[in-house]
Amino acid sequence: MTQQTGPAGTAGPARPLSQRRPFGDRSFQIITLGAGLLVLVILVLIAFSTTQQAAPWFKAEGWGIFGKTWNPPSNQFGALAFIYGTAITSAIAIIMAVPVSVGIALLLTEVVPYRWARPIVYVIDLLAVVPSVVWGLWGILVFVPWIAKIYKSIGSAVTGIPVLENLFGPPTSGASFFTAGIILAFMITPIVTSLSREVIATVPAIDKEGAYALGATRLEMIQGAVWPHSKGGIVGAVLLGLGRAMGETIAAALVIGSSAVITSHLFAPGDSMPAVIANQFPEATGTFRAALIGLGVLLFAFTIIVNVIARLIVGRAIEQGSA
Amino acid sequence: MAVTAGQQPSLREAKGWRRTKNRIATVLMVVAFVLVLIPLVLVLITVVARGAKIISWQFLTAPIPPSVAPASEGGIGPAILGTFLIVGLATVMAVPLGILGAIYLNEYGGKGVLARLIGFMADVMTGVPSIVMGLFIFSIWVLHFQFSGFAGALALGCLMLPVVIRSTDEMLKLVPNPLREGSYALGATKARVTTTVVLPAAIGGIVSGALLAIARAAGETAPLLFTILTVTTANPNPFKGPNTSIPSQIFSNATSAFTGAQDRAWGAALTLIVIAFVLMLAARIITARFTRYSR
């Protein structure tokens, strides 16, 4: 410890300990830094390499990339139908998954005792571990044939009613926007639940006890103490779920019906950005392939924006909560 | 203090509409859980019922037959081999790098700007769609070096890296500081403290986090579509030539019109779910047995 072998070797004011660190110590730090920087490097490389591969599409179409017509044989690659499909299916998934997820998160944090909460968390974890392709397989072979009949009867029931006919009327198909939305809802429920739960868990006990002490029922306590404290964080959790729903590929590719149309009919077959990439990539070459990679670039950009906003909100909510 | 009966506030449960509303809210929460339970149970029952009929030792090891073959012929041997090779390679790359990255975040970076940026971007990276990872590896690797199991492993590794970083980081945060300070006081360097004191203290949580990341990666299909090129022949060399995997086979069989191919998809789905559940269970057991510090 006392043997100082610095380059100067002169007696002087004692150096701070950090300057005497041996080589192995410093190289370990550099290795860990490199591993950490890998995250940033990969993200930059993703943006750079995929944009480069998609360049022919961007150049050929210009703003036409947001055009309505997708017709590979005649070299028309407008992506609007897929962006529309992604937006619609994600919206359906969010509308269905969020109330359920927040309900379960409240059940876990405010209602059931700890020993009951654990099995419920296991079930949610099981849901998260079912692979996308298994949801897709079940979706196309079991769920789609079953729900096709329901769509059909709803479709004939609403025929003639102005707005409902446009949303739920024929043409109906088991593989549709709505089916994809339902399957996506199953898939994003675990992440929305676990983040909502994390946010709700930061509500100070003293707020909750205060509400109870004033004679509030549990619902009134949730409305008065939990909700104001955690609504921001829950919005973040919902956005994260949205990001997942937008990028979910295989399940959507199997049950969405693969039809590049823009229609208000939710029970009609459609297509989404990740689904079309998965389904059409194998036979794509030239501008076609560039267009599909370009869809990936757009998807990457959308999900990064959504995720950055969501993480900022969730991070702030949890930090404020636990501070 | 003497309080007369008349002044005492009512401590009984709220009555009337308030109580009804409260009850309704509680019931709705339970209903929410049941709504989630239904699809999970339906999927698991279907997969187990239809998969169990076909799974046998022969199914797990035999080569993949053409789609027209009946369910009694062939199996998914090459897909299982491919999944083990690809996921294994991805694990070997992503887990050590992820742990090192987390060590930087927690032990070296601290609250510095760079460490906070990396931690934040690791969170964001967990949200990058898996299909984008596939396109990324296609663009930087497959276009130059052809399809291979290794390309698939690179894509899965990119997906696993941020997950491992985040779960390890959480575990390192739980290691109490006095443990580190005690070792510094004995004259140990930071690298030594980290490798011999901090990591062993957190190893249970780190391993179970890594197992969960592997379980998720084993089920991924989208990043493999454009990196391994889903063939039907066995390829024991992950560095050369196209490969296949269990999820890729399910994906290509799911749209097949032949019942034999569909049955093989169910069998493969059951295999995949069993692998994922075993990994998850192992993670739970390790967490329960070997975790010294938890929240």
Side-chain angles (χ1 to χ4, degrees), chain B residues 69-291:
Chain B
S72 55
E73 274 175 38
I76 52 163
I80 293 181
L81 175 71
T83 283
F84 274 95
L85 287 173
I86 294 164
V87 175
L89 271 174
T91 305
V92 168
M93 290 187 286
V95 170
L97 283 172
I99 293 174
L100 285 171
I103 290 173
Y104 174 75
L105 291 189
N106 206 58
E107 307 296 318
Y108 288 98
K111 289 201 158 46
V113 178
L114 183 61
R116 293 228 316 255
L117 178 72
I118 291 174
F120 182 79
M121 290 323 266
D123 273 339
V124 170
M125 194 173 161
T126 56
V128 172
S130 58
I131 192 156
V132 171
M133 287 302 180
L135 290 173
F136 163 57
I137 299 300
F138 178 84
S139 302
I140 64 159
W141 188 269
V142 176
L143 283 178
H144 308 289
F145 306 102
Q146 294 305 308
F147 295 99
S148 66
F150 181 69
L154 282 176
L156 292 187
C158 287
L159 283 172
M160 288 168 70
L161 180 71
V163 180
V164 176
I165 289 183
R166 263 316 178 197
S167 66
T168 307
D169 186 35
E170 290 288 315
M171 291 305 135
L172 293 180
K173 273 187 193 139
L174 297 176
V175 177
N177 251 338
L179 224 60
R180 298 186 179 91
E181 285 154 7
S183 331
Y184 286 137
L186 293 172
T189 61
K190 197 157 195 165
R192 186 155 284 254
V193 172
T194 304
T195 49
T196 60
V197 176
V198 179
L199 279 184
I203 195 71
I206 293 174
V207 171
S208 74
L211 286 176
L212 288 177
I214 297 169
R216 296 299 296 273
E220 281 290 352
T221 319
L224 301 182
L225 287 175
F226 329 126
T227 49
I228 65 170
L229 196 73
T230 316
V231 289
T232 50
T233 46
N235 180 0
N237 181 357
F239 297 98
K240 196 166 182 293
N243 217 311
T244 186
S245 73
I246 304 174
S248 317
Q249 283 306 321
I250 301 175
F251 183 58
S252 62
N253 281 16
T255 46
S256 168
F258 301 104
T259 49
Q262 288 182 6
D263 284 342
R264 278 189 291 280
W266 287 112
L270 180 58
T271 316
L272 193 58
I273 284 198
V274 167
I275 292 174
F277 281 11
V278 164
L279 286 167
M280 201 175 124
L281 202 66
R284 291 263 172 234
I285 292 169
I286 289 170
T287 310
R289 284 273 181 84
F290 299 99
T291 308

Side-chain angles (χ1 to χ4, degrees), chain A residues 25 28-29 32-33 35-36 39 49 53 100 122-123 125 127 129 133 135 138 215 218-220 244 249 281 303, chain B residues 18 22 32 36-37 39 43 46 97 100-101 104 108 118 126 129 131 136 139-140 143 165 190-191 221 226 277 284:
Chain A
D25 194 40
F28 185 70
Q29 176 173 6
T32 63
L33 175 64
V39 169
S49 67
Q53 289 303 319
V100 170
Y122 284 175
V123 169
D125 286 354
L127 197 66
V129 111
V133 71
W135 283 116
W138 178 78
R218 180 155 56 217
L219 174 64
E220 289 160 352
R244 291 292 157 91
T249 308
F281 201 84
T303 48
Chain B
R18 289 178 61 212
N22 189 39
V36 165
L37 210 53
V43 167
T46 320
L97 283 172
L100 285 171
Y104 174 75
Y108 288 98
I118 291 174
T126 56
I131 192 156
F136 163 57
S139 302
I140 64 159
L143 283 178
I165 289 183
K190 197 157 195 165
T221 319
F226 329 126
F277 281 11
R284 291 263 172 234

